[in-house]
Amino acid sequence: LAQQTFISGGLTKSAALLEQSPVGRKRVLVVISDGGFNDRSLVDGIMKEIDDMTPKPEVFGIVVRRNSEHDPKDKEAMDDMLDKLATEDHAINIAMDDLASATG
């Protein structure tokens, strides 16, 4: 898994795509991360732009961890996800092994 996680570039591109979404379509942003955000200082401004859109996009956060047990890195990733992006009911912290496909 990544030693550093930078999401501001992806969020900026996502904001541009969401802004171009046709009127009447539901807007959804799914963020998948494997670590705390190294560029967290840039995220607030981008998320304000996304939050100010009409209709406001729903944001879902997925933190993927390497092990079945939680460690401090997983906690940091989830804290950043909840602090910067998603609400408690729109975020999950899941072990990589639990993401296996249904077909194996």
XYZ file of all heavy atoms in Angstrom:
786
model
N 0.836 -1.187 0.000
C 0.000 0.000 0.000
C 0.874 1.242 0.000
O 2.042 1.205 0.352
C -0.924 -0.010 1.214
C -1.932 -1.155 1.255
C -2.720 -1.122 2.543
C -2.851 -1.155 0.081
N 0.298 2.360 -0.349
C 1.054 3.593 -0.521
C 1.679 4.083 0.778
O 1.112 3.943 1.845
C 0.146 4.679 -1.079
N 2.866 4.663 0.658
C 3.504 5.316 1.793
C 2.930 6.718 1.971
O 2.921 7.240 3.064
C 5.015 5.377 1.583
C 5.664 4.012 1.543
C 5.494 3.253 2.843
O 5.678 3.803 3.912
N 5.111 1.998 2.753
N 2.505 7.327 0.874
C 1.898 8.646 0.908
C 0.657 8.627 0.032
O 0.617 7.945 -0.983
C 2.865 9.702 0.398
C 4.101 9.839 1.263
C 5.027 10.912 0.726
O 5.162 11.093 -0.477
N 5.653 11.635 1.640
N -0.339 9.390 0.439
C -1.594 9.443 -0.295
C -1.929 10.900 -0.602
O -2.078 11.698 0.321
C -2.728 8.792 0.516
O -2.375 7.440 0.817
C -4.030 8.805 -0.254
N -2.019 11.227 -1.877
C -2.355 12.576 -2.322
C -3.664 12.491 -3.106
O -3.752 11.767 -4.097
C -1.242 13.143 -3.210
C 0.048 13.325 -2.475
C 0.985 12.306 -2.438
C 0.312 14.504 -1.799
C 2.174 12.462 -1.749
C 1.495 14.673 -1.107
C 2.434 13.649 -1.071
N -4.684 13.225 -2.654
C -5.980 13.137 -3.316
C -6.437 14.432 -3.967
O -7.426 14.437 -4.696
C -7.080 12.642 -2.350
C -7.366 13.659 -1.259
C -6.722 11.304 -1.753
C -8.673 13.398 -0.553
N -5.742 15.533 -3.736
C -6.224 16.824 -4.235
C -6.340 16.849 -5.760
O -7.299 17.414 -6.299
C -5.344 17.968 -3.739
O -4.017 17.816 -4.184
N -5.397 16.240 -6.472
C -5.470 16.223 -7.937
C -6.687 15.466 -8.431
O -7.399 15.930 -9.328
N -6.942 14.314 -7.850
C -8.122 13.527 -8.226
C -9.417 14.235 -7.874
O -10.398 14.192 -8.630
N -9.445 14.905 -6.713
C -10.646 15.654 -6.329
C -10.900 16.816 -7.276
O -12.052 17.097 -7.627
C -10.521 16.174 -4.894
C -10.691 15.165 -3.778
C -10.466 15.834 -2.427
C -12.051 14.508 -3.815
N -9.842 17.490 -7.705
C -9.988 18.610 -8.638
C -10.585 18.132 -9.959
O -11.511 18.748 -10.502
C -8.626 19.292 -8.876
O -8.150 19.798 -7.630
C -8.730 20.414 -9.882
N -10.073 17.024 -10.474
C -10.622 16.471 -11.727
C -12.050 15.992 -11.530
O -12.903 16.171 -12.408
C -9.741 15.343 -12.229
C -8.417 15.852 -12.756
C -7.533 14.763 -13.287
C -6.238 15.408 -13.738
N -5.311 14.509 -14.325
N -12.326 15.384 -10.382
C -13.689 14.927 -10.084
C -14.653 16.102 -10.015
O -15.784 16.016 -10.509
C -13.719 14.153 -8.768
O -12.943 12.988 -8.869
N -14.219 17.196 -9.398
C -15.077 18.384 -9.310
C -15.425 18.900 -10.705
O -16.575 19.261 -10.970
C -14.378 19.475 -8.495
N -14.448 18.909 -11.601
C -14.701 19.370 -12.972
C -15.691 18.450 -13.679
O -16.595 18.917 -14.380
C -13.391 19.442 -13.745
N -15.548 17.146 -13.486
C -16.484 16.200 -14.107
C -17.885 16.341 -13.526
O -18.877 16.310 -14.266
C -15.986 14.762 -13.923
C -14.756 14.372 -14.730
C -14.242 13.007 -14.286
C -15.069 14.362 -16.218
N -17.971 16.487 -12.217
C -19.284 16.650 -11.583
C -19.961 17.929 -12.067
O -21.177 17.946 -12.283
C -19.142 16.670 -10.063
C -18.805 15.336 -9.408
C -18.381 15.548 -7.957
C -19.973 14.371 -9.494
N -19.188 18.982 -12.237
C -19.738 20.258 -12.693
C -20.340 20.130 -14.095
O -21.303 20.807 -14.429
C -18.637 21.323 -12.675
C -19.139 22.733 -12.802
C -20.012 23.176 -11.637
O -19.603 22.982 -10.484
O -21.105 23.716 -11.897
N -19.787 19.247 -14.920
C -20.269 19.049 -16.285
C -21.409 18.042 -16.376
O -21.949 17.819 -17.448
C -19.120 18.580 -17.176
C -18.008 19.586 -17.308
C -16.791 19.002 -18.007
O -16.841 17.953 -18.613
N -15.673 19.694 -17.907
N -21.768 17.449 -15.252
C -22.822 16.449 -15.242
C -24.143 17.057 -15.709
O -24.489 18.179 -15.322
C -22.983 15.903 -13.814
O -24.024 14.977 -13.756
N -24.878 16.331 -16.559
C -26.151 16.861 -17.064
C -27.138 17.180 -15.939
O -27.166 16.507 -14.908
C -26.691 15.721 -17.935
C -25.487 14.928 -18.308
C -24.555 15.035 -17.139
N -27.925 18.212 -16.148
C -28.940 18.622 -15.188
C -29.897 17.448 -14.936
O -30.262 16.725 -15.856
C -29.724 19.844 -15.723
C -30.877 20.205 -14.800
C -28.788 21.015 -15.913
N -30.252 17.247 -13.704
C -31.190 16.204 -13.355
C -30.548 14.889 -12.940
O -31.226 14.006 -12.427
N -29.262 14.753 -13.180
C -28.577 13.523 -12.778
C -28.100 13.636 -11.346
O -27.656 14.696 -10.899
C -27.376 13.250 -13.667
C -27.778 12.781 -15.024
C -26.780 11.788 -15.543
N -27.185 11.346 -16.860
C -26.365 11.121 -17.843
N -25.075 11.290 -17.673
N -26.812 10.704 -19.000
N -28.181 12.534 -10.633
C -27.655 12.492 -9.271
C -26.134 12.516 -9.339
O -25.529 11.851 -10.178
C -28.132 11.227 -8.570
C -27.749 11.168 -7.135
C -28.395 9.975 -6.455
C -28.089 10.011 -4.983
N -28.899 9.070 -4.236
N -25.520 13.283 -8.463
C -24.062 13.400 -8.437
C -23.524 12.622 -7.241
O -23.942 12.832 -6.109
C -23.641 14.855 -8.332
C -24.026 15.660 -9.542
C -23.703 17.104 -9.349
N -23.950 17.847 -10.574
C -23.789 19.146 -10.679
N -23.375 19.857 -9.656
N -24.040 19.741 -11.815
N -22.568 11.738 -7.520
C -21.972 10.900 -6.485
C -20.463 10.891 -6.676
O -19.964 10.759 -7.785
C -22.514 9.451 -6.563
C -21.819 8.548 -5.565
C -24.020 9.430 -6.342
N -19.749 11.032 -5.572
C -18.290 10.967 -5.576
C -17.876 9.855 -4.619
O -18.288 9.844 -3.458
C -17.697 12.302 -5.124
C -16.184 12.375 -4.946
C -15.471 12.109 -6.274
C -15.786 13.727 -4.380
N -17.092 8.898 -5.117
C -16.577 7.805 -4.291
C -15.063 7.961 -4.213
O -14.385 7.997 -5.232
C -16.946 6.424 -4.883
C -16.364 5.304 -4.027
C -18.459 6.277 -5.004
N -14.552 8.073 -2.996
C -13.116 8.233 -2.770
C -12.602 6.974 -2.079
O -13.131 6.571 -1.045
C -12.815 9.471 -1.903
C -11.327 9.581 -1.624
C -13.342 10.729 -2.576
N -11.581 6.362 -2.677
C -10.956 5.172 -2.113
C -9.529 5.545 -1.732
O -8.791 6.096 -2.545
C -10.955 4.010 -3.123
C -12.388 3.685 -3.534
C -10.269 2.780 -2.522
C -12.506 2.701 -4.675
N -9.163 5.261 -0.484
C -7.840 5.643 0.000
C -7.228 4.514 0.820
O -7.942 3.736 1.439
C -7.954 6.897 0.866
O -6.693 7.243 1.395
N -5.901 4.467 0.821
C -5.205 3.473 1.637
C -4.332 4.138 2.693
O -3.488 3.501 3.294
C -4.362 2.543 0.769
C -3.235 3.262 0.064
O -3.226 4.499 0.059
O -2.354 2.575 -0.485
N -4.536 5.433 2.918
C -3.743 6.119 3.931
C -4.278 7.506 4.202
O -5.165 8.000 3.510
N -3.729 8.134 5.242
C -4.088 9.514 5.539
C -3.660 10.416 4.391
O -2.775 10.084 3.612
N -4.289 11.562 4.276
C -4.045 12.462 3.151
C -2.835 13.340 3.423
O -2.840 14.153 4.340
C -5.259 13.350 2.884
C -6.557 12.598 2.736
C -7.750 13.188 3.117
C -6.596 11.314 2.227
C -8.953 12.519 2.976
C -7.794 10.632 2.085
C -8.980 11.238 2.462
N -1.803 13.214 2.613
C -0.610 14.046 2.758
C -0.846 15.468 2.268
O -0.082 16.365 2.587
C 0.570 13.425 2.015
C 1.045 12.172 2.701
O 0.458 11.109 2.527
N 2.085 12.289 3.510
N -1.908 15.675 1.500
C -2.230 17.007 0.990
C -3.540 17.528 1.584
O -4.289 18.239 0.948
C -2.280 17.005 -0.539
C -3.249 15.976 -1.114
O -3.780 15.144 -0.348
O -3.469 16.004 -2.331
N -3.775 17.183 2.855
C -5.058 17.533 3.492
C -5.315 19.039 3.501
O -6.463 19.467 3.480
C -5.183 16.920 4.873
C -4.196 17.358 5.903
C -4.404 16.696 7.275
N -4.231 15.274 7.322
C -3.080 14.639 7.489
N -1.964 15.334 7.606
N -3.025 13.330 7.532
N -4.270 19.860 3.489
C -4.470 21.314 3.497
C -5.114 21.811 2.198
O -5.725 22.875 2.181
C -3.143 22.041 3.728
O -2.250 21.804 2.653
N -4.996 21.052 1.127
C -5.592 21.438 -0.159
C -7.021 20.929 -0.317
O -7.771 21.427 -1.161
C -4.742 20.896 -1.308
C -3.280 21.345 -1.348
C -2.530 20.603 -2.444
C -3.186 22.844 -1.538
N -7.393 19.957 0.476
C -8.673 19.277 0.299
C -9.857 20.166 0.660
O -10.888 20.145 -0.012
C -8.699 17.955 1.102
C -10.069 17.314 1.086
C -7.648 16.995 0.555
N -9.748 20.979 1.706
C -10.877 21.798 2.150
C -11.425 22.695 1.044
O -12.639 22.771 0.844
C -10.489 22.648 3.359
C -10.300 21.827 4.616
O -10.886 20.724 4.710
O -9.557 22.276 5.512
N -10.544 23.375 0.317
C -10.992 24.275 -0.741
C -11.701 23.538 -1.869
O -12.719 24.007 -2.396
N -11.173 22.387 -2.224
C -11.782 21.597 -3.302
C -13.142 21.056 -2.855
O -14.120 21.095 -3.605
C -10.853 20.444 -3.729
C -9.504 20.995 -4.187
C -11.502 19.604 -4.833
C -8.408 19.953 -4.274
N -13.203 20.580 -1.610
C -14.473 20.049 -1.108
C -15.521 21.144 -0.958
O -16.702 20.899 -1.145
C -14.264 19.299 0.208
C -13.602 17.943 0.032
S -14.423 16.862 -1.192
C -16.048 16.654 -0.447
N -15.108 22.375 -0.646
C -16.073 23.476 -0.583
C -16.687 23.693 -1.958
O -17.894 23.882 -2.081
C -15.414 24.753 -0.089
C -16.403 25.917 -0.069
C -15.939 27.089 0.692
C -16.912 28.252 0.726
N -18.220 28.098 0.173
N -15.865 23.638 -2.986
C -16.359 23.777 -4.365
C -17.362 22.671 -4.681
O -18.418 22.919 -5.263
C -15.176 23.714 -5.332
C -15.530 23.849 -6.779
C -14.323 23.703 -7.692
O -13.191 23.991 -7.266
O -14.532 23.285 -8.847
N -17.047 21.443 -4.279
C -17.949 20.315 -4.521
C -19.226 20.454 -3.695
O -20.332 20.250 -4.198
C -17.223 18.983 -4.240
C -16.135 18.746 -5.306
C -18.203 17.812 -4.191
C -15.206 17.584 -5.030
N -19.094 20.840 -2.432
C -20.264 20.988 -1.555
C -21.193 22.109 -2.007
O -22.392 22.072 -1.723
C -19.823 21.254 -0.112
C -19.257 20.022 0.564
O -19.511 18.897 0.084
O -18.556 20.182 1.588
N -20.666 23.118 -2.704
C -21.475 24.245 -3.163
C -22.217 23.960 -4.465
O -23.003 24.792 -4.924
C -20.604 25.497 -3.340
C -20.154 26.087 -2.006
O -20.711 25.697 -0.951
O -19.232 26.923 -2.018
N -21.984 22.794 -5.065
C -22.664 22.450 -6.316
C -24.148 22.194 -6.065
O -24.551 21.781 -4.988
C -22.043 21.194 -6.933
C -20.663 21.389 -7.440
S -20.002 19.830 -8.122
C -18.394 20.369 -8.611
N -24.947 22.468 -7.099
C -26.377 22.187 -7.030
C -26.734 21.293 -8.205
O -26.514 21.677 -9.345
C -27.200 23.492 -7.107
O -26.769 24.350 -6.055
C -28.671 23.210 -6.970
N -27.247 20.091 -7.948
C -27.442 19.501 -6.628
C -26.095 19.101 -6.013
O -25.129 18.808 -6.719
C -28.297 18.271 -6.900
C -27.996 17.889 -8.299
C -27.684 19.169 -9.009
N -26.078 19.092 -4.699
C -24.859 18.736 -3.967
C -24.574 17.254 -4.139
O -25.447 16.414 -3.940
C -25.046 19.066 -2.488
C -23.852 18.748 -1.635
C -24.113 19.117 -0.184
C -22.962 18.675 0.673
N -23.164 19.051 2.080
N -23.353 16.903 -4.536
C -23.012 15.484 -4.691
C -22.983 14.751 -3.344
O -22.622 15.332 -2.327
C -21.599 15.521 -5.290
C -21.438 16.888 -5.850
C -22.271 17.777 -4.989
N -23.372 13.492 -3.375
C -23.184 12.630 -2.212
C -21.758 12.108 -2.275
O -21.284 11.708 -3.340
C -24.155 11.460 -2.238
C -25.572 11.831 -1.864
C -26.421 10.600 -1.670
O -26.254 9.908 -0.646
O -27.235 10.332 -2.563
N -21.065 12.126 -1.141
C -19.674 11.695 -1.093
C -19.570 10.450 -0.221
O -20.056 10.435 0.912
C -18.762 12.805 -0.529
C -17.317 12.329 -0.489
C -18.890 14.076 -1.365
N -18.957 9.421 -0.779
C -18.738 8.167 -0.073
C -17.239 7.926 0.025
O -16.503 8.152 -0.932
C -19.391 6.999 -0.827
C -20.887 7.097 -0.904
C -21.492 7.805 -1.925
C -21.677 6.507 0.061
C -22.870 7.912 -2.003
C -23.061 6.597 0.000
C -23.654 7.312 -1.029
N -16.793 7.471 1.177
C -15.375 7.212 1.392
C -15.117 5.760 1.760
O -15.836 5.189 2.580
N -14.113 5.188 1.132
C -13.716 3.810 1.414
C -12.231 3.818 1.769
O -11.401 4.239 0.962
C -13.960 2.891 0.205
C -15.434 2.920 -0.199
C -13.493 1.462 0.516
C -15.723 2.263 -1.531
N -11.921 3.359 2.966
C -10.526 3.201 3.385
C -10.214 1.717 3.294
O -10.905 0.886 3.881
C -10.301 3.717 4.818
C -8.903 3.359 5.298
C -10.528 5.219 4.879
N -9.190 1.384 2.517
C -8.780 -0.006 2.342
C -7.526 -0.231 3.184
O -6.547 0.492 3.056
C -8.480 -0.316 0.857
C -8.043 -1.761 0.694
C -9.702 -0.023 0.007
N -7.594 -1.234 4.042
C -6.439 -1.541 4.881
C -5.855 -2.886 4.483
O -6.554 -3.761 3.985
C -6.797 -1.495 6.362
C -7.800 -2.518 6.799
C -8.138 -2.365 8.295
N -8.995 -3.450 8.722
C -10.300 -3.500 8.594
N -10.941 -2.478 8.045
N -10.995 -4.540 9.000
N -4.574 -3.058 4.731
C -3.863 -4.272 4.353
C -4.248 -5.459 5.225
O -4.412 -6.574 4.749
C -2.367 -4.029 4.457
C -1.534 -5.235 4.075
C -0.080 -4.906 4.122
N 0.196 -3.881 3.133
C 1.159 -3.940 2.244
N 1.986 -4.945 2.242
N 1.326 -2.993 1.365
N -4.381 -5.246 6.523
C -4.613 -6.342 7.465
C -6.044 -6.351 7.982
O -6.752 -5.350 7.903
C -3.645 -6.204 8.652
C -2.208 -6.193 8.197
O -1.787 -7.052 7.442
N -1.458 -5.192 8.627
N -6.440 -7.485 8.535
C -7.778 -7.557 9.111
C -7.866 -6.736 10.388
O -8.922 -6.219 10.733
C -8.175 -9.011 9.384
O -7.266 -9.606 10.281
N -6.741 -6.585 11.085
C -6.689 -5.779 12.305
C -6.399 -4.312 11.947
O -5.647 -4.031 11.028
C -5.595 -6.296 13.245
C -5.791 -7.735 13.681
C -7.043 -7.937 14.499
O -7.358 -7.075 15.335
O -7.722 -8.954 14.294
N -6.983 -3.404 12.708
C -6.727 -1.976 12.495
C -5.383 -1.584 13.088
O -4.954 -2.128 14.096
C -7.836 -1.140 13.152
C -9.162 -1.331 12.516
N -9.579 -0.592 11.447
C -10.162 -2.197 12.790
C -10.794 -0.989 11.091
N -11.171 -1.964 11.889
N -4.718 -0.626 12.446
C -3.472 -0.092 12.987
C -3.546 1.438 12.950
O -4.525 1.996 12.438
C -2.249 -0.630 12.234
C -2.193 -0.216 10.778
O -2.740 0.855 10.418
O -1.593 -0.945 9.983
N -2.553 2.143 13.492
C -2.609 3.611 13.530
C -2.762 4.264 12.155
O -3.431 5.289 12.018
C -1.279 4.000 14.182
C -0.929 2.827 15.035
C -1.405 1.623 14.254
N -2.163 3.667 11.121
C -2.283 4.224 9.765
C -3.736 4.160 9.279
O -4.232 5.093 8.653
C -1.361 3.468 8.812
C -1.357 4.040 7.420
C -0.381 3.319 6.533
C -0.479 3.860 5.120
N 0.365 3.177 4.187
N -4.412 3.050 9.587
C -5.821 2.922 9.210
C -6.672 3.974 9.924
O -7.577 4.558 9.337
C -6.369 1.536 9.581
C -5.600 0.407 8.943
O -5.123 0.571 7.812
O -5.479 -0.637 9.600
N -6.380 4.190 11.192
C -7.125 5.187 11.966
C -6.917 6.574 11.373
O -7.868 7.338 11.229
C -6.712 5.159 13.431
C -7.506 6.150 14.280
C -7.112 6.101 15.721
C -7.873 7.069 16.592
N -8.502 8.210 16.011
N -5.671 6.900 11.013
C -5.389 8.205 10.400
C -6.166 8.364 9.085
O -6.749 9.416 8.814
C -3.899 8.359 10.141
C -3.553 9.673 9.464
C -2.099 9.783 9.037
O -1.352 8.790 9.126
O -1.724 10.871 8.589
N -6.176 7.316 8.282
C -6.894 7.368 7.005
C -8.387 7.594 7.225
O -9.011 8.417 6.547
C -6.653 6.082 6.220
N -8.966 6.875 8.170
C -10.403 7.022 8.437
C -10.692 8.393 9.049
O -11.695 9.020 8.698
C -10.881 5.895 9.353
C -12.372 5.780 9.412
S -13.051 5.360 7.782
C -14.753 5.114 8.200
N -9.828 8.855 9.934
C -10.016 10.195 10.513
C -10.014 11.264 9.428
O -10.873 12.157 9.423
C -8.925 10.503 11.542
C -9.083 9.716 12.831
O -10.145 9.090 13.042
O -8.119 9.719 13.628
N -9.072 11.175 8.476
C -9.033 12.140 7.371
C -10.281 12.030 6.506
O -10.850 13.035 6.082
C -7.788 11.929 6.506
C -6.543 12.553 7.110
O -6.647 13.246 8.143
O -5.449 12.339 6.541
N -10.711 10.805 6.237
C -11.898 10.594 5.400
C -13.119 11.259 6.046
O -13.880 11.963 5.383
C -12.128 9.095 5.209
C -13.146 8.749 4.166
S -12.656 9.115 2.459
C -11.489 7.813 2.139
N -13.285 11.052 7.349
C -14.443 11.610 8.051
C -14.302 13.112 8.272
O -15.291 13.841 8.219
C -14.654 10.890 9.386
C -15.081 9.428 9.271
C -15.085 8.772 10.648
C -16.443 9.299 8.608
N -13.101 13.577 8.499
C -12.878 14.998 8.746
C -13.007 15.829 7.476
O -13.531 16.942 7.503
C -11.492 15.204 9.362
C -11.218 16.656 9.695
O -12.083 17.291 10.332
O -10.145 17.156 9.321
N -12.549 15.292 6.355
C -12.459 16.084 5.126
C -13.523 15.774 4.074
O -13.851 16.625 3.260
C -11.085 15.878 4.473
C -9.906 16.274 5.343
C -9.861 17.756 5.554
C -8.627 18.176 6.336
N -8.634 19.600 6.641
N -14.041 14.534 4.053
C -14.854 14.144 2.898
C -16.246 13.612 3.203
O -17.232 14.132 2.720
C -14.110 13.078 2.078
C -12.754 13.461 1.531
C -12.110 12.271 0.867
C -12.884 14.594 0.552
N -16.305 12.533 3.919
C -17.555 11.784 4.032
C -18.113 11.819 5.450
O -17.376 12.029 6.411
C -17.324 10.329 3.613
N -19.401 11.578 5.562
C -20.033 11.466 6.872
C -19.889 10.032 7.374
O -19.575 9.120 6.612
C -21.523 11.825 6.796
O -22.171 10.914 5.903
C -21.720 13.261 6.314
N -20.137 9.846 8.644
C -19.998 8.533 9.280
C -20.827 7.458 8.558
O -20.375 6.334 8.380
C -20.432 8.627 10.742
C -20.190 7.391 11.552
C -18.801 7.353 12.172
O -18.232 8.401 12.449
O -18.310 6.233 12.364
N -22.020 7.817 8.106
C -22.875 6.827 7.436
C -22.526 6.634 5.960
O -23.111 5.789 5.291
C -24.357 7.171 7.600
C -24.731 8.538 7.066
O -23.850 9.410 6.998
O -25.908 8.735 6.722
N -21.567 7.408 5.454
C -21.118 7.255 4.065
C -19.646 6.870 3.974
O -18.988 7.142 2.967
C -21.344 8.544 3.276
C -22.768 8.758 2.893
N -23.246 9.992 2.558
C -23.818 7.921 2.786
C -24.533 9.906 2.266
N -24.905 8.651 2.397
N -19.122 6.241 5.026
C -17.711 5.856 5.033
C -17.558 4.454 5.610
O -18.318 4.046 6.482
C -16.888 6.850 5.842
N -16.558 3.745 5.087
C -16.286 2.393 5.564
C -14.781 2.168 5.565
O -14.065 2.694 4.725
C -17.004 1.334 4.691
C -16.867 -0.053 5.289
C -16.501 1.367 3.263
C -17.747 -1.103 4.623
N -14.335 1.384 6.514
C -12.936 0.968 6.609
C -12.950 -0.545 6.442
O -13.526 -1.254 7.267
C -12.360 1.374 7.976
C -10.881 1.107 8.093
O -10.361 0.139 7.569
N -10.206 1.973 8.822
N -12.360 -1.035 5.363
C -12.493 -2.449 5.006
C -11.125 -3.066 4.703
O -10.251 -2.407 4.154
C -13.458 -2.605 3.805
C -13.800 -4.043 3.554
C -12.908 -1.921 2.570
C -15.000 -4.233 2.640
N -10.981 -4.313 5.090
C -9.730 -5.035 4.812
C -9.663 -5.396 3.331
O -10.678 -5.707 2.701
C -9.649 -6.296 5.660
N -8.453 -5.355 2.780
C -8.260 -5.668 1.370
C -8.821 -7.052 1.016
O -9.420 -7.233 -0.040
C -6.774 -5.583 1.019
C -6.499 -5.664 -0.455
S -4.750 -5.542 -0.843
C -4.391 -3.894 -0.314
N -8.637 -8.010 1.891
C -9.124 -9.365 1.628
C -10.640 -9.424 1.488
O -11.175 -10.300 0.812
C -8.690 -10.331 2.741
C -7.205 -10.624 2.690
O -6.567 -10.327 1.656
O -6.687 -11.134 3.686
N -11.338 -8.486 2.118
C -12.799 -8.462 2.029
C -13.291 -7.884 0.706
O -14.484 -7.897 0.432
C -13.383 -7.670 3.186
C -13.171 -8.360 4.520
O -12.941 -9.588 4.527
O -13.222 -7.665 5.564
N -12.377 -7.380 -0.115
C -12.752 -6.825 -1.421
C -12.648 -7.860 -2.547
O -12.844 -7.516 -3.694
C -11.865 -5.635 -1.768
C -12.036 -4.409 -0.871
C -11.006 -3.349 -1.267
C -13.430 -3.856 -0.980
N -12.355 -9.092 -2.215
C -12.225 -10.134 -3.239
C -13.514 -10.245 -4.049
O -14.613 -10.084 -3.521
C -11.891 -11.480 -2.592
N -13.366 -10.528 -5.319
C -14.546 -10.625 -6.188
C -15.367 -11.860 -5.824
O -14.857 -12.840 -5.285
C -14.124 -10.702 -7.652
O -13.556 -11.951 -7.926
N -16.638 -11.798 -6.165
C -17.545 -12.913 -5.879
C -17.167 -14.153 -6.699
O -17.475 -15.275 -6.314
C -18.975 -12.500 -6.176
N -16.483 -13.942 -7.814
C -16.104 -15.069 -8.667
C -14.729 -15.625 -8.316
O -14.263 -16.562 -8.944
C -16.122 -14.652 -10.145
O -15.208 -13.578 -10.335
C -17.516 -14.245 -10.558
N -14.060 -15.003 -7.334
C -12.747 -15.497 -6.897
C -11.686 -14.919 -7.712
O -10.570 -15.028 -7.768
